[in-house]
Amino acid sequence: MLNLLKSDLYRLVHGKMLWVGLAALLAVVVGAAGLIWFATTPLFAEMVNEQAANSQAAANAGSTWNMQLTTPNNADLDAAEVEALNEKVINSRTYSYGSTFMVGFLGLIVSVLAALIAASDFDSGFAKSVLAGRRSRLPYFGEKLLLIALVCGAFLLVAMVASDAAYLLLGFSYEHAETVGEFWAWTGLAWLEMTAYAYVVALVVWVARSKAAGIVFAALIPSGFLESMLLAAAVGLAPAFPVINEAVKWLPLSTQQLLSAGGTQVFAAGDAAAVAGLPVAGQVLIVFGVLVAVCVGLALAACPRKDVA
């Protein structure tokens, strides 16, 4: 298993896939930070004032159209957050991570990489030669899961460092400082969340033996696209079926959005928690911990039995 990991790491570092993924990640982080910086400029303030005037005119004319400022992850900003943003003040470091790359962007990138990693040996025929001489296929799939988890951790750390550097260069400061425990607890939970999504995509590739299926699944699930549609539908159905409103709180995307509030809230019981009094960390561990355990169990139990040819 260790030799397989060394071989995969060597191929990953000396191939294009890793570096293209990192380049895409850096572009996303810098672009998102740039958008937030643009929201602090006089030009943006002028645009907001103009749109607000148009909104008032539309309201006087009987229109219900309204304007709402959001962060790059589509989280609504209240008046206090908008004012702080204008002063180039962000709630906390981990809050900036959540606003910049946590919802959708990073999960999509690492999930696509997971699909490529899971499919590469089967596409090239390397898996057949490796597995043919082994009594057990468990080490092979276990090593691939470990490799994907390491890639998720590496990409998360790179994104965090890039985000810190971007906001520092753009002149932002932080209103709150997380404790060491809050910061690393948030980091560990964010890694668990990304790994869970990546494992689901890898499992889809191994079951379907299709790289395309994994990439399509990554575009629908880790990106938040499909779950966003489910949440929108739940809003309309909730008045008639209150249980739906409670059920969607357990969706991975709903839990991910709680985590995006930052490390200062990770041990707090938020109003949006699925169970009253349950800390954000507890819900993240339950939702994504169970997802990881199920994916690992299925990958190690079912995939080794599947025909390699």
Side-chain angles (χ1 to χ4, degrees):
M1 182 172 170
L2 184 59
N3 289 334
L4 282 174
L5 181 61
K6 289 179 180 178
S7 174
D8 279 343
L9 288 173
Y10 179 87
R11 287 188 294 162
L12 201 58
V13 171
H14 289 83
K16 296 179 181 179
M17 177 170 56
L18 177 68
W19 304 110
V20 171
L22 285 173
L25 174 62
L26 292 175
V28 166
V29 171
V30 172
L35 287 175
I36 293 179
W37 167 82
F38 177 68
T40 69
T41 61
L43 176 60
F44 183 80
E46 182 179 341
M47 292 170 57
V48 169
N49 291 333
E50 182 178 338
Q51 290 185 13
N54 292 338
S55 176
Q56 184 61 44
N60 293 337
S63 172
T64 58
W65 180 83
N66 190 23
M67 180 188 67
Q68 177 69 55
L69 294 180
T70 64
T71 58
N73 68 349
N74 293 323
D76 291 341
L77 297 176
D78 58 29
E81 289 172 322
V82 172
E83 183 178 355
L85 188 60
N86 289 336
E87 296 175 359
K88 289 190 176 182
V89 176
I90 301 176
N91 185 281
S92 65
R93 286 175 66 191
T94 49
Y95 180 86
S96 73
Y97 304 153
S99 300
T100 304
F101 58 78
M102 269 306 297
V103 178
F105 294 131
L106 188 54
L108 174 61
I109 292 172
V110 296
S111 293
V112 170
L113 282 174
L116 297 176
I117 289 171
S120 60
D121 287 350
F122 294 95
D123 288 346
S124 65
F126 181 69
K128 188 173 182 180
S129 61
V130 170
L131 296 176
R134 292 179 175 271
R135 253 181 223 182
S136 174
R137 297 176 179 180
L138 290 179
Y140 174 84
F141 289 99
E143 180 272 332
K144 285 292 185 283
L145 292 172
L146 177 58
L147 176 64
I148 290 170
L150 290 175
V151 169
C152 289
F155 270 67
L156 175 61
L157 292 177
V158 169
M160 291 165 64
V161 172
S163 178
D164 286 342
Y167 285 114
L168 178 64
L169 291 174
L170 293 172
F172 283 87
S173 60
Y174 302 106
E175 183 178 0
H176 302 290
E178 305 91 340
T179 65
V180 173
E182 289 173 340
F183 182 84
W184 289 109
W186 185 94
T187 302
L189 293 170
W191 169 78
L192 178 67
E193 173 259 312
M194 285 191 305
T195 302
Y197 278 128
Y199 278 3
V200 173
V201 171
L203 185 61
V204 169
V205 171
W206 286 329
V207 170
R209 287 290 190 266
S210 170
K211 176 171 59 180
I215 293 174
V216 170
F217 194 83
L220 292 176
I221 305 298
S223 67
F225 177 78
L226 186 59
E227 288 182 281
S228 295
M229 294 178 63
L230 290 176
L231 288 174
V235 171
L237 295 173
F241 304 97
V243 68
I244 293 178
N245 193 41
E246 297 301 318
V248 296
K249 291 181 179 180
W250 288 103
L251 282 175
L253 180 60
S254 300
T255 305
Q256 189 180 25
Q257 289 172 341
L258 291 178
L259 191 60
S260 295
T264 57
Q265 302 296 318
V266 78
F267 296 120
D271 295 336
V275 177
L278 180 67
V280 171
Q283 183 166 333
V284 173
L285 284 172
I286 292 172
V287 173
F288 291 110
V290 168
L291 194 55
V292 165
V294 169
C295 288
V296 171
L298 290 175
L300 297 182
C303 294
R305 301 173 184 271
K306 191 173 177 65
D307 188 11
V308 179

